[in-house]
Structures are given as C-alpha cells and as structure tokens.
Amino acid sequence: ALLFSSQASANTLNSLKDKRYEIEQKKTELNQEIKEKENNIQSNQTKQEKILDQILALNKEIVSTETDIADLRADINETNTEINAMEKDIKELEEKIANREALLNDRLRAVQVSGGSISYIDVLLGANSFLDFIDRLSAVNTLMEADRSIMNEQAKDKVAKEKKENELEDKLTLLEKDRVELIALKANLDSQKADKTTLIDELEEE
C-alpha cells in the first residue's frame, strides 16, 4: 500500500510538472504573440502616420494647384478683356482709314472728271486780280494743309493699326498658352485628388 501510495504521488507530481511545462510553453507562446502583435501595431501606426503625412502633403499641393488655377483664370479673363478692347480699337482705326481713303478717292475722281489737269498752280494762275490771287492763295493753302493733315493722320493711323494688330497677336498667343497651361493644371488637380482618395481608402483600411 505504501509502495502504491508512493507511486501514485510520483505520478501526480509528474502530471503536475507536465501541466506546469505546458502552461509555461503556452505563456511563452502567448508572450511571443503579444510581442508580435505589438510590433504589428507599431508598424501599422507608423504606416498610418506615413500615409497621413502623404495626405497632408497632397492637401497642400491641391490648395497650391487650385490657387494657380484661380490666378490663371483671372489672367485669362483679363487677357480676354484686353483682346476685346484691342479688337474694338482696330475696328475704329479701320473705319477711320476707310473713310479717309474714300475722301481721297473722291478728290482724285473730281480731278479726273475735270480733265486731270487742274493743279494748285493752275488755280493761282487763273486769278483775275491781285485780290483774287490772294483769295485763291489762301484757299490753296487751306486745301494743301487739309490734304497734308489727312495724309499725316492716315499714315499715323495705319502705323497705330499695325501696332495694335501685333499686340493683339501677342495677346492671342499668350491666351492660348494660358489655356493649355490651365488644361494641364486641371489634369494635375484631378490626379492629385485621385491620389488623395486612394490614400484615404488605404488609411481607412489600415
């Protein structure tokens, strides 16, 4: 009986040792799992912070791009206003030039109708008296001054028209350049917003 009792105690002790070993093993495994989970959490938090930083950086880029788009639209509107003003100025100059051309053509036709031989000298030589000569000289001077003034104004307006047309061409080139840049900025903005959406989805998943 003593032998049996001693053997039973030994078996119980061995069983307890085995249980303790199993518990220690499980404890070790659990500690490893906990450490692994903690590492995963730390890694996940680091990844989230990195994604968040990317989102914040993208937000700044989006704001900057939107500001560039707003500025460019303002420039385009201003350029359009300048173009409209230039086109109006050019039209007015064209009308002035056309009116003077018509006036000069009328004078030329009048000379041709009268035989084409009338000149300022003929007018002066046709005077009947000294008083008539003075009157004719005054009239000739007035006509000559008027012709000179018309020709000068015509020349100045033609130069002004050419200058305005060159400026208009430059403005139209600038407008086209701004429009192309605006399209590129809009595409860039769409891309930035798409990247931001992707990062937000990734952040939510993490």
Side-chain angles (χ1 to χ4, degrees):
L2 285 171
L3 182 62
F4 181 78
S5 176
S6 175
Q7 190 175 357
S9 295
N11 287 338
T12 301
L13 184 61
N14 285 335
S15 177
L16 287 170
K17 282 182 179 179
D18 287 343
K19 288 280 184 187
R20 182 178 177 183
Y21 178 76
E22 284 178 21
I23 290 169
E24 288 293 334
Q25 282 289 103
K26 286 197 173 186
K27 184 180 176 183
T28 301
E29 288 173 7
L30 277 171
N31 282 336
Q32 286 177 343
E33 285 182 20
I34 289 168
K35 187 160 187 172
E36 188 178 334
K37 294 293 182 187
E38 285 175 344
N39 288 338
N40 287 342
I41 288 170
Q42 183 62 44
S43 175
N44 183 277
Q45 286 175 338
T46 302
K47 192 172 181 181
Q48 287 183 54
E49 287 170 5
K50 185 179 177 183
I51 294 170
L52 191 58
D53 286 343
Q54 288 176 303
I55 290 172
L56 292 173
L58 261 176
N59 276 338
K60 287 183 180 178
E61 288 179 20
I62 287 169
V63 169
S64 175
T65 303
E66 287 175 339
T67 301
D68 290 343
I69 287 173
D71 290 344
L72 198 55
R73 278 180 173 153
D75 289 343
I76 287 172
N77 289 336
E78 185 180 345
T79 303
N80 274 323
T81 302
E82 290 173 353
I83 285 171
N84 291 334
M86 285 178 182
E87 286 174 341
K88 185 180 176 184
D89 290 344
I90 288 170
K91 188 177 178 182
E92 288 176 357
L93 285 168
E94 284 174 342
E95 287 175 357
K96 285 182 180 179
I97 290 168
N99 289 337
R100 287 198 202 95
E101 289 286 351
L103 177 62
L104 292 171
N105 287 334
D106 286 345
R107 288 203 181 193
L108 183 60
R109 273 194 297 272
V111 170
Q112 288 172 343
V113 166
S114 63
S117 59
I118 296 177
S119 68
Y120 293 133
I121 297 296
D122 292 331
V123 171
L124 293 175
L125 292 177
N128 296 322
S129 65
F130 183 72
L131 187 60
D132 186 24
F133 178 83
I134 295 297
D135 289 341
R136 287 178 181 236
L137 181 62
S138 177
V140 164
N141 283 336
T142 301
L143 286 171
M144 287 180 66
E145 188 59 37
D147 284 347
R148 193 179 298 114
S149 176
I150 289 171
M151 296 304 290
N152 286 340
E153 286 176 9
Q154 191 78 332
K156 278 163 58 179
D157 281 352
K158 283 182 177 180
V159 170
K161 177 175 169 282
E162 185 178 355
K163 184 181 176 184
K164 283 282 181 187
E165 285 172 341
N166 290 335
E167 288 176 359
L168 178 60
E169 191 63 33
D170 291 341
K171 286 291 178 184
L172 288 170
T173 302
L174 177 63
L175 182 63
E176 185 58 29
K177 175 177 165 289
D178 286 347
R179 281 177 176 165
V180 170
E181 188 178 346
L182 182 60
I183 291 169
L185 281 172
K186 283 181 177 176
N188 188 35
L189 180 63
D190 290 340
S191 175
Q192 288 170 341
K193 286 182 175 178
D195 290 344
K196 180 183 173 182
T197 301
T198 301
L199 287 171
I200 288 172
D201 290 342
E202 190 179 343
L203 182 61
E204 287 175 352
E205 185 181 346
E206 292 300 327

